[in-house]
Short mmCIF file of all heavy atoms in Angstrom, two decimals:
data_model
loop_
_atom_site.label_atom_id
_atom_site.label_comp_id
_atom_site.label_asym_id
_atom_site.label_seq_id
_atom_site.Cartn_x
_atom_site.Cartn_y
_atom_site.Cartn_z
N VAL A 76 61.23 13.50 42.50
CA VAL A 76 60.62 12.20 42.28
C VAL A 76 59.09 12.30 42.20
O VAL A 76 58.38 11.29 42.08
CB VAL A 76 61.09 11.14 43.33
CG1 VAL A 76 62.56 10.95 43.29
CG2 VAL A 76 60.59 11.52 44.74
N ARG A 77 58.58 13.54 42.37
CA ARG A 77 57.23 13.87 42.33
C ARG A 77 56.35 13.08 43.44
O ARG A 77 55.30 12.55 43.10
CB ARG A 77 56.67 13.68 40.92
CG ARG A 77 57.39 14.47 39.91
CD ARG A 77 56.85 14.21 38.46
NE ARG A 77 57.68 14.83 37.53
CZ ARG A 77 57.54 14.68 36.22
NH1 ARG A 77 56.55 13.95 35.73
NH2 ARG A 77 58.37 15.26 35.38
N TYR A 78 56.96 12.95 44.58
CA TYR A 78 56.24 12.30 45.67
C TYR A 78 55.41 13.27 46.46
O TYR A 78 55.98 14.32 46.94
CB TYR A 78 57.28 11.61 46.59
CG TYR A 78 56.66 11.03 47.89
CD1 TYR A 78 55.81 9.92 47.79
CD2 TYR A 78 56.95 11.60 49.07
CE1 TYR A 78 55.28 9.38 48.95
CE2 TYR A 78 56.42 11.07 50.27
CZ TYR A 78 55.58 9.93 50.17
OH TYR A 78 55.01 9.43 51.33
N GLN A 79 54.12 13.00 46.66
CA GLN A 79 53.23 13.90 47.33
C GLN A 79 53.39 15.32 46.87
O GLN A 79 53.60 16.32 47.68
CB GLN A 79 53.51 13.85 48.85
CG GLN A 79 53.20 12.46 49.49
CD GLN A 79 51.70 12.11 49.52
OE1 GLN A 79 50.86 13.04 49.62
NE2 GLN A 79 51.39 10.87 49.43
N LEU A 80 53.26 15.49 45.57
CA LEU A 80 53.64 16.75 44.89
C LEU A 80 52.97 17.97 45.44
O LEU A 80 53.61 18.96 45.73
CB LEU A 80 53.34 16.60 43.36
CG LEU A 80 53.84 17.83 42.52
CD1 LEU A 80 55.36 17.94 42.62
CD2 LEU A 80 53.42 17.59 41.09
N LYS A 81 51.67 17.87 45.66
CA LYS A 81 50.92 19.09 46.13
C LYS A 81 51.40 19.45 47.50
O LYS A 81 51.70 20.70 47.79
CB LYS A 81 49.40 18.75 46.20
CG LYS A 81 48.55 19.95 46.63
CD LYS A 81 47.06 19.61 46.50
CE LYS A 81 46.21 20.83 46.89
NZ LYS A 81 44.76 20.49 46.79
N ALA A 82 51.58 18.54 48.45
CA ALA A 82 52.05 18.81 49.74
C ALA A 82 53.45 19.40 49.77
O ALA A 82 53.78 20.31 50.54
CB ALA A 82 51.96 17.60 50.69
N VAL A 83 54.32 18.82 48.96
CA VAL A 83 55.68 19.19 48.83
C VAL A 83 55.79 20.69 48.24
O VAL A 83 56.51 21.51 48.81
CB VAL A 83 56.52 18.28 47.89
CG1 VAL A 83 57.85 18.93 47.54
CG2 VAL A 83 56.75 16.94 48.61
N LEU A 84 55.02 21.03 47.29
CA LEU A 84 54.96 22.37 46.73
C LEU A 84 54.50 23.35 47.76
O LEU A 84 55.07 24.50 47.86
CB LEU A 84 54.15 22.38 45.53
CG LEU A 84 54.71 21.75 44.26
CD1 LEU A 84 53.69 21.74 43.09
CD2 LEU A 84 55.92 22.53 43.82
N TRP A 85 53.53 23.06 48.59
CA TRP A 85 53.05 23.95 49.62
C TRP A 85 54.10 24.15 50.65
O TRP A 85 54.30 25.27 51.16
CB TRP A 85 51.68 23.43 50.26
CG TRP A 85 50.49 23.82 49.38
CD1 TRP A 85 49.70 22.98 48.68
CD2 TRP A 85 50.00 25.23 49.28
NE1 TRP A 85 48.67 23.74 48.06
CE2 TRP A 85 48.86 25.10 48.48
CE3 TRP A 85 50.37 26.38 49.79
CZ2 TRP A 85 48.08 26.15 48.17
CZ3 TRP A 85 49.57 27.51 49.50
CH2 TRP A 85 48.48 27.37 48.65
N LEU A 86 54.81 23.10 51.01
CA LEU A 86 55.88 23.19 52.02
C LEU A 86 57.00 24.03 51.44
O LEU A 86 57.59 24.87 52.21
CB LEU A 86 56.37 21.82 52.42
CG LEU A 86 55.42 20.93 53.32
CD1 LEU A 86 55.93 19.62 53.48
CD2 LEU A 86 55.23 21.64 54.67
N LEU A 87 57.31 23.85 50.18
CA LEU A 87 58.37 24.64 49.53
C LEU A 87 57.95 26.18 49.48
O LEU A 87 58.74 27.04 49.72
CB LEU A 87 58.64 24.15 48.11
CG LEU A 87 59.43 22.88 47.96
CD1 LEU A 87 59.40 22.40 46.58
CD2 LEU A 87 60.87 23.04 48.48
N LEU A 88 56.66 26.35 49.25
CA LEU A 88 56.20 27.76 49.26
C LEU A 88 56.32 28.40 50.56
O LEU A 88 56.80 29.55 50.68
CB LEU A 88 54.70 27.80 48.74
CG LEU A 88 54.04 29.14 48.68
CD1 LEU A 88 54.71 30.00 47.60
CD2 LEU A 88 52.53 29.03 48.41
N ILE A 89 55.95 27.68 51.63
CA ILE A 89 56.07 28.20 52.99
C ILE A 89 57.55 28.49 53.35
O ILE A 89 57.85 29.57 53.88
CB ILE A 89 55.48 27.24 54.00
CG1 ILE A 89 53.94 27.11 53.85
CG2 ILE A 89 55.82 27.64 55.42
CD1 ILE A 89 53.35 25.99 54.62
N MET A 90 58.40 27.60 52.95
CA MET A 90 59.82 27.81 53.24
C MET A 90 60.40 29.02 52.46
O MET A 90 61.15 29.79 53.02
CB MET A 90 60.53 26.49 52.87
CG MET A 90 62.06 26.56 53.20
SD MET A 90 62.94 24.98 52.91
CE MET A 90 62.46 24.11 54.40
N ILE A 91 60.04 29.14 51.19
CA ILE A 91 60.66 30.12 50.38
C ILE A 91 60.04 31.58 50.84
O ILE A 91 60.73 32.57 50.74
CB ILE A 91 60.44 29.96 48.87
CG1 ILE A 91 61.48 30.78 48.04
CG2 ILE A 91 59.00 30.25 48.46
CD1 ILE A 91 62.88 30.43 48.35
N VAL A 92 58.82 31.55 51.24
CA VAL A 92 58.24 32.81 51.78
C VAL A 92 59.00 33.22 52.97
O VAL A 92 59.36 34.44 53.20
CB VAL A 92 56.72 32.63 52.14
CG1 VAL A 92 56.22 33.81 52.99
CG2 VAL A 92 55.92 32.58 50.84
N PHE A 93 59.32 32.28 53.86
CA PHE A 93 60.08 32.55 55.09
C PHE A 93 61.47 33.03 54.70
O PHE A 93 61.98 34.09 55.22
CB PHE A 93 60.22 31.27 55.89
CG PHE A 93 61.15 31.39 57.09
CD1 PHE A 93 60.86 32.21 58.16
CD2 PHE A 93 62.32 30.61 57.05
CE1 PHE A 93 61.78 32.25 59.22
CE2 PHE A 93 63.21 30.64 58.14
CZ PHE A 93 62.92 31.52 59.20
N PHE A 94 62.16 32.38 53.79
CA PHE A 94 63.47 32.83 53.34
C PHE A 94 63.49 34.21 52.67
O PHE A 94 64.40 35.02 52.88
CB PHE A 94 64.09 31.81 52.41
CG PHE A 94 64.51 30.47 53.00
CD1 PHE A 94 64.66 29.32 52.30
CD2 PHE A 94 64.80 30.49 54.42
CE1 PHE A 94 65.03 28.11 52.87
CE2 PHE A 94 65.22 29.27 54.97
CZ PHE A 94 65.32 28.10 54.24
N THR A 95 62.40 34.46 51.90
CA THR A 95 62.22 35.71 51.23
C THR A 95 62.10 36.87 52.20
O THR A 95 62.74 37.94 52.09
CB THR A 95 61.06 35.75 50.26
OG1 THR A 95 61.22 34.64 49.31
CG2 THR A 95 61.01 37.03 49.55
N PHE A 96 61.36 36.64 53.29
CA PHE A 96 61.25 37.61 54.35
C PHE A 96 62.60 37.93 55.03
O PHE A 96 62.99 39.05 55.23
CB PHE A 96 60.23 37.15 55.44
CG PHE A 96 60.36 37.93 56.65
CD1 PHE A 96 59.81 39.17 56.78
CD2 PHE A 96 60.92 37.40 57.81
CE1 PHE A 96 59.90 39.99 57.93
CE2 PHE A 96 60.97 38.09 59.06
CZ PHE A 96 60.54 39.42 59.07
N LEU A 97 63.39 36.81 55.29
CA LEU A 97 64.66 37.03 55.88
C LEU A 97 65.58 37.83 55.04
O LEU A 97 66.27 38.71 55.51
CB LEU A 97 65.34 35.62 56.22
CG LEU A 97 64.73 34.72 57.26
CD1 LEU A 97 65.54 33.53 57.46
CD2 LEU A 97 64.60 35.50 58.60
N THR A 98 65.69 37.45 53.76
CA THR A 98 66.64 38.12 52.87
C THR A 98 66.20 39.60 52.60
O THR A 98 67.01 40.49 52.47
CB THR A 98 66.76 37.38 51.49
OG1 THR A 98 65.47 37.14 50.96
CG2 THR A 98 67.49 36.06 51.72
N PHE A 99 64.81 39.85 52.47
CA PHE A 99 64.34 41.22 52.32
C PHE A 99 64.72 42.03 53.52
O PHE A 99 65.20 43.18 53.45
CB PHE A 99 62.87 41.27 52.10
CG PHE A 99 62.32 42.64 52.08
CD1 PHE A 99 62.52 43.50 51.01
CD2 PHE A 99 61.64 43.18 53.22
CE1 PHE A 99 62.03 44.78 51.04
CE2 PHE A 99 61.16 44.46 53.27
CZ PHE A 99 61.36 45.27 52.21
N TYR A 100 64.52 41.48 54.74
CA TYR A 100 64.77 42.24 55.96
C TYR A 100 66.26 42.49 56.05
O TYR A 100 66.66 43.64 56.41
CB TYR A 100 64.34 41.35 57.17
CG TYR A 100 64.31 42.08 58.50
CD1 TYR A 100 63.10 42.70 58.86
CD2 TYR A 100 65.41 42.21 59.30
CE1 TYR A 100 63.10 43.43 60.06
CE2 TYR A 100 65.38 42.98 60.49
CZ TYR A 100 64.25 43.53 60.85
OH TYR A 100 64.19 44.27 62.00
N SER A 101 67.14 41.50 55.64
CA SER A 101 68.59 41.71 55.73
C SER A 101 68.96 42.90 54.73
O SER A 101 69.84 43.68 55.05
CB SER A 101 69.28 40.47 55.32
OG SER A 101 69.09 39.44 56.25
N ALA A 102 68.40 42.80 53.50
CA ALA A 102 68.78 43.73 52.51
C ALA A 102 68.27 45.16 52.82
O ALA A 102 69.05 46.14 52.72
CB ALA A 102 68.31 43.30 51.17
N TYR A 103 66.94 45.26 53.11
CA TYR A 103 66.40 46.58 53.31
C TYR A 103 66.92 47.28 54.50
O TYR A 103 67.16 48.53 54.45
CB TYR A 103 64.86 46.41 53.39
CG TYR A 103 64.13 47.73 53.38
CD1 TYR A 103 63.83 48.39 52.17
CD2 TYR A 103 63.64 48.36 54.51
CE1 TYR A 103 63.20 49.63 52.09
CE2 TYR A 103 63.01 49.54 54.52
CZ TYR A 103 62.77 50.19 53.32
OH TYR A 103 62.12 51.39 53.32
#
Side-chain angles (χ1 to χ4, degrees):
V76 301
R77 302 179 191 176
Y78 172 68
Q79 296 292 329
L80 187 60
K81 185 176 182 180
V83 166
L84 286 173
W85 276 108
L86 288 172
L87 285 171
L88 181 64
I89 292 169
M90 182 174 282
I91 200 61
V92 167
F93 171 68
F94 288 157
T95 303
F96 165 73
L97 291 185
T98 52
F99 172 76
Y100 194 90
S101 298
Y103 189 79

